[in-house]
């Protein structure tokens, strides 16, 4: 095989990493200053945007150490039976690339994942060595997210936490049956055990030590995971049930949902079509309802026979339309919990309503100013001088609230 340049490896290994959603990339138009004669490019390999634990949006170099893999997970482009072009970075190359990009101000950190080469332990040890060299030898202060391999020795995951800001372990699919069918070399119980150990390590290191009274640095950004959506027949209700269990059992910072995309030479066990991207978006919205809006998982799709989220309207609006008897909510008197359930009111708008109503009674126009758009909110609230009357009971209400289709941009 011809020797590849670092640039060629970067093109292959950044492209191979794009299927990993656990550092969410933002979309944008493609631009390249080479063509325009100006400055800047959005087409360079491997740079994506993610949210740091403190909420800042940061750019990361997102790459695989290698896309060689001894495993054969049906849904993965890098599986051993795939015909994809292969490449492998040396530790030195990843360190140099990260530092080079960092010094040129292209990135603020590194997201490193890998196919499994030789054994999970050897692969994990190489990834840790990249992080160690960056942190200790190069005194790299940027963000590091390592995707760990659950089958590796627990000591290695412990070492990874010394250098990485965030660690993630993919659960891969929402059900054990799905993992057994599509990734037969992976064991769901091993994945769960690794997550449980990581959780206790993170908690243990958060406690100040008896000798120094200081906390040891260990994966301060916590742990996250990723689930592939649409590769098996699990309903959205089933997916959310798994997420709720993961959040509860392992104190995850995030569960990332990645819509399955068909890959070349795919196994017959996989669907031919990808799920609508809107499904991924609705799952994220439902996930937020559980984490920030006080919804129990079972409430979100209660009474929905097929257990699937409505793609036309957001999950909170869909829930409110099924539970009209709980509305209208009086914005001048209701508790925070009840306000958070009003469609169109986000957590910030609710806090603003609570803050403002200490001084005066809110009218519909005031709520409109505090929440941005009143159309979705209006049928579900009572305000000074406003009651929705029969609006809430109208059979055509859902249709009225479905967002209007938008013309796509011709040159996007
Ligand atoms: S172990 Fe990871 S890289 Fe290897 S085939 Fe499975 S999902 Fe792909």
């Amino acid at each position: 095989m011809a020797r590849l340049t670092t640039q060629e490896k970067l093109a292959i290994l950044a492209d191979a990493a794009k299927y990993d959603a656990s550092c969410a990339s933002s979309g944008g138009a493609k631009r390249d200053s080479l063509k325009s004669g100006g400055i800047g490019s959005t087409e360079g390999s491997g740079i994506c945007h993610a949210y740091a634990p403190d909420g800042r949006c940061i750019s990361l170099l997102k790459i695989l150490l290698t896309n060689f893999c001894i495993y054969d997970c049906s849904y993965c482009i890098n599986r051993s039976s795939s015909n994809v072009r292969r490449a492998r970075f040396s530790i030195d190359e990843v360190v140099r690339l990260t530092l080079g990009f960092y010094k040129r101000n292209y990135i603020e950190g590194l997201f490193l994942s890998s196919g499994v080469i030789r054994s999970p332990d050897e692969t994990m040890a190489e990834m840790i060595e990249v992080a160690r060299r960056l942190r200790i030898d190069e005194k790299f202060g940027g963000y590091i997210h390592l995707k760990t391999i659950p089958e590796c020795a627990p000591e290695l995951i412990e070492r990874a936490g010394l250098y990485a800001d965030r660690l993630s372990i993919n659960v891969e699919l929402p059900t054990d049956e799905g993992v057994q069918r599509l990734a037969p070399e992976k064991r769901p119980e091993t994945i769960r055990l690794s997550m449980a150990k990581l959780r206790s390590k993170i908690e243990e290191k958060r406690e100040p030590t008896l000798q120094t009274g200081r906390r040891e640095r260990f994966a301060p950004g916590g742990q996250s995971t990723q689930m592939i959506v649409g590769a098996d027949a699990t309903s959205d209700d089933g997916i959310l049930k798994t997420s709720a269990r993961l959040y509860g059992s392992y104190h995850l910072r995030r569960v990332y949902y990645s819509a399955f995309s068909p890959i070349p030479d795919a196994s017959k066990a996989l669907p031919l079509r990808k799920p609508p991207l809107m499904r991924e978006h609705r799952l994220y919205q439902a996930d937020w309802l559980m984490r920030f809006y006080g919804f129990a998982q079972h409430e979100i799709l209660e009474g929905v026979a097929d257990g699937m989220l409505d793609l036309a309207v957001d999950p909170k609006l869909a829930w409110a339309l099924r539970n009209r008897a709980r509305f209208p909510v009086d914005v001048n008197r209701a508790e925070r919990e009840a306000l958070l359930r009003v469609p169109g009111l986000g957590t910030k708008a609710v806090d603003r309503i609570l803050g403002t109503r200490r001084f005066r009674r809110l009218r519909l126009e005031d709520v409109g100013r505090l929440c941005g758009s009143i159309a979705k909110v209006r049928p579900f609230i009572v305000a000074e001088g406003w009651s929705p009357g029969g609006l809430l009971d109208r059979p055509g209400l859902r249709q009225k609230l479905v967002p209007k289709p938008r013309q796509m941009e011709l040159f996007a």
Side-chain angles (χ1 to χ4, degrees):
M1 195 172 73
R3 273 179 80 87
L4 299 173
T5 63
T6 304
Q7 205 54 42
E8 287 167 330
K9 290 182 192 177
L10 181 61
I12 296 170
L13 294 171
D15 192 61
K18 74 182 177 201
Y19 297 94
D20 212 308
S22 53
C23 74
S25 301
S26 56
K30 287 190 171 182
R31 290 179 302 275
D32 188 349
S33 56
L34 281 178
K35 294 171 194 156
S36 68
I39 184 170
S41 167
T42 58
E43 293 187 32
S45 297
I47 298 180
C48 75
H49 296 96
Y51 288 94
D54 63 2
R56 282 178 315 124
C57 180
I58 56 175
S59 344
L60 299 178
L61 172 63
K62 179 177 171 185
I63 48 171
L64 299 189
L65 187 61
T66 178
N67 63 345
F68 284 100
C69 191
I70 55 175
Y71 287 11
D72 202 38
C73 309
S74 316
Y75 48 81
C76 177
I77 187 88
N78 303 315
R79 68 194 189 283
S80 57
S81 60
S82 163
N83 283 327
V84 74
R85 201 169 171 220
R86 308 277 176 175
R88 181 178 172 182
F89 277 131
S90 66
I91 293 170
D92 213 44
E93 279 175 315
V94 180
V95 171
R96 271 191 286 117
L97 271 176
T98 309
L99 293 175
F101 277 26
Y102 193 81
K103 283 177 187 161
R104 278 175 277 163
N105 222 3
Y106 293 170
I107 56 160
E108 288 157 284
L110 170 70
F111 174 95
L112 186 64
S113 182
S114 184
V116 182
I117 26 164
R118 288 194 294 276
S119 73
D121 281 3
E122 279 194 54
T123 312
M124 197 64 229
E126 283 200 22
M127 292 169 76
I128 294 168
E129 183 55 15
V130 169
R132 191 202 64 77
R133 286 216 10 218
L134 283 168
R135 279 281 186 257
I136 307 296
D137 299 354
E138 306 293 342
K139 310 223 172 341
F140 177 70
Y143 181 82
I144 299 179
H145 181 156
L146 290 185
K147 175 63 54 81
T148 63
I149 301 167
E151 293 79 16
C152 77
E155 313 83 79
L156 289 172
I157 296 189
E158 264 184 50
R159 271 185 47 215
L162 299 177
Y163 310 118
D165 291 280
R166 176 170 285 182
L167 297 174
S168 48
I169 302 174
N170 283 358
V171 291
E172 308 290 359
L173 293 151
T175 63
D176 285 6
E177 301 76 57
V179 178
Q180 279 146 13
R181 196 165 61 85
L182 299 175
E185 289 131 323
K186 296 194 171 177
R187 289 194 301 278
E189 58 282 9
T190 311
I191 297 172
R192 284 195 286 272
L193 191 64
S194 298
M195 286 174 139
K197 284 187 179 153
L198 187 51
R199 173 196 164 173
S200 33
K201 207 67 210 165
I202 290 170
E203 286 173 356
E204 177 195 319
K205 300 281 184 181
R206 265 192 207 135
E207 295 298 318
T209 61
L210 279 177
Q211 280 164 342
T212 63
R214 285 169 50 190
R215 292 177 178 84
E216 279 181 70
R217 190 185 188 285
F218 186 88
Q223 64 167 324
S224 58
T225 195
Q226 173 179 305
M227 237 188 288
I228 300 166
V229 172
D232 67 0
T234 313
S235 66
D236 292 339
D237 194 40
I239 291 171
L240 293 172
K241 209 172 273 171
T242 301
S243 300
R245 185 169 43 76
L246 291 169
Y247 282 123
S249 308
Y250 309 113
H251 288 187
L252 298 186
R253 283 293 174 88
R254 287 292 299 270
V255 174
Y256 290 91
Y257 305 95
S258 170
F260 159 75
S261 42
I263 46 172
D265 300 328
S267 136
K268 289 197 175 56
L270 292 171
L272 292 172
R273 295 179 56 192
K274 60 179 176 187
L277 264 185
M278 183 55 84
R279 185 176 173 200
E280 188 184 290
H281 181 60
R282 296 291 181 227
L283 281 166
Y284 277 115
Q285 289 177 317
D287 184 289
W288 276 60
L289 292 186
M290 294 193 290
R291 291 191 298 140
F292 303 113
Y293 287 80
F295 279 77
Q297 179 271 320
H298 67 85
E299 287 179 287
I300 295 172
L301 281 160
E302 207 159 45
V304 179
D306 64 358
M308 297 299 280
L309 293 164
D310 191 332
L311 296 182
V313 295
D314 69 77
K316 186 155 65 150
L317 176 56
W319 175 85
L321 289 167
R322 289 195 307 275
N323 291 277
R324 297 183 198 198
R326 297 176 67 143
F327 297 95
V329 164
D330 186 341
V331 290
N332 287 301
R333 300 163 63 107
E335 301 282 334
R336 187 170 194 274
E337 291 68 30
L339 288 171
L340 282 172
R341 295 201 169 221
V342 175
L345 291 186
T347 50
K348 277 193 192 139
V350 167
D351 290 339
R352 285 191 204 128
I353 287 171
L354 292 172
T356 312
R357 81 183 188 187
R358 284 166 46 213
F359 306 105
R360 60 191 170 86
R361 291 185 61 77
L362 293 161
R363 303 183 64 80
L364 190 64
E365 311 82 81
D366 300 322
V367 179
R369 270 192 295 274
L370 295 173
C371 74
S373 160
I374 197 66
K376 207 195 286 184
V377 181
R378 192 169 26 205
F380 298 97
I381 59 165
V382 167
E384 183 72 16
W386 167 257
S387 163
L391 195 55
L392 197 52
D393 299 318
R394 275 199 204 155
L397 181 60
R398 179 183 180 281
Q399 217 38 48
K400 231 172 129 33
L401 295 173
V402 169
K404 304 274 169 296
R406 270 187 309 167
Q407 173 71 51
M408 288 175 72
E409 282 179 52
L410 202 53
F411 302 105

